[in-house]
Amino acid sequence: GCSSDLRSGALTGAESLIRWKHPRLGLLAPTEFVALAEESGHILPVGCWVLREACRTAATWPGDLRVAVNLSALQFSSPTLIDDVRRALSASGLPPYRLELEITESLVMRNLAGARATLGQVRALGVRVALDDFGTGYSSLSNLRALPFDTIKIDGAFVRDLGSDSQAVAVVQAVVGLAKALRMTITAEGVESAAQLEVLTRLGVHDAQGYLLARPAPAAEFGALVEGWTARTAAAESA
């Protein structure tokens, strides 16, 4: 999924989304196999492969486009995580600031002190850290203050109701205020309409991603998407 800067309209990067091309069942979404992979422990080699492939692919993208990679619970708590990240960056040549690791607050709550140490090591590498699905879990303000996040990602459930629910608008507005106070950027997920995009822009959200902007696409097609996006942005600026 692609992310876009709401102020300039420029493409800022993409989130890596894993799919399993099963020989009999076809293309499977993460909900159909990730839980089983976590239970069996296979999520560790799978997650490491995703990290390497995401970095390798992003290194071929132009400019400073970032790639975001979700971490599973086992991967986040793995003692080899920092080495895995370091090796993925080294092998691909991707500058650390172009990688963003996404975690959910439920992972943090399992071991707050350990999470703080791990996130500190990640950021020491120069890698960004995002809090995913904000607003659906614990959403603890103390965690936002205590943990070194660079980005807060607003869950798509709030974005979906922006056009019809004043409370959803109030929630997004409050999160934007928090992000500004804590010097974090904010990304809205699940944007599917121009009306939602207009509200998010007005409220001061930095980045957005969703079907309105671009549907998920294979890595091989991303280059063409970048070229088309860049051309449209340049045309809009010169108009």
Side-chain angles (χ1 to χ4, degrees):
C2 299
S3 59
S4 171
D5 187 320
L6 294 188
R7 293 155 295 186
S8 66
L11 189 66
T12 57
E15 179 179 350
S16 60
L17 305 172
I18 188 171
R19 298 291 185 269
W20 180 13
K21 193 171 184 179
H22 194 280
R24 289 189 299 103
L25 302 177
L27 204 61
L28 300 180
T31 53
E32 299 180 80
F33 64 87
V34 165
L36 180 61
E38 288 182 333
E39 290 176 9
S40 65
H42 287 92
I43 196 66
L44 286 176
V46 169
C48 193
W49 176 83
V50 169
L51 181 61
R52 292 196 307 267
E53 284 298 299
C55 289
R56 182 189 63 80
T57 302
T60 67
W61 299 346
D64 291 330
L65 293 180
R66 296 194 303 269
V67 63
V69 179
N70 292 278
L71 296 182
S72 70
L74 283 178
Q75 193 175 12
F76 181 65
S77 61
S78 170
T80 67
L81 173 64
I82 302 304
D83 285 338
D84 291 341
V85 172
R86 189 181 289 113
R87 282 193 290 265
L89 292 170
S90 177
S92 64
L94 184 73
Y97 68 88
R98 291 180 58 190
L99 174 63
E100 185 170 75
L101 300 182
E102 297 188 4
I103 65 169
T104 60
E105 199 164 10
S106 60
L107 301 189
V108 171
M109 292 300 294
R110 298 183 183 194
N111 181 353
L112 189 59
R116 185 184 295 115
T118 298
L119 295 180
Q121 289 179 288
V122 169
R123 293 191 77 206
L125 294 177
V127 173
R128 295 173 58 87
V129 180
L131 178 61
D132 200 12
D133 299 333
F134 185 77
T136 61
Y138 298 93
S139 302
S140 168
L141 300 185
S142 62
N143 288 344
L144 285 181
R145 289 183 60 201
L147 297 168
F149 293 110
D150 297 286
T151 301
I152 301 173
K153 300 191 73 173
I154 299 178
D155 188 79
F158 296 102
V159 174
R160 183 169 56 248
D161 294 334
L162 282 179
S164 59
D165 188 346
S166 60
Q167 290 185 341
V169 175
V171 168
V172 173
Q173 191 169 30
V175 176
V176 170
L178 282 172
K180 287 182 178 178
L182 297 173
R183 298 181 181 179
M184 299 175 184
T185 60
I186 186 164
T187 299
E189 301 178 289
V191 179
E192 297 183 354
S193 73
Q196 293 168 347
L197 197 66
E198 188 278 327
V199 174
L200 292 168
T201 303
R202 175 165 49 83
L203 292 178
V205 171
H206 301 105
D207 294 339
Q209 61 185 74
Y211 282 7
L212 177 69
L213 303 169
R215 289 182 174 271
E221 299 176 12
F222 190 73
L225 189 154
V226 172
E227 290 181 6
W229 193 298
T230 302
R232 289 194 301 272
T233 302
E237 290 176 349
S238 61

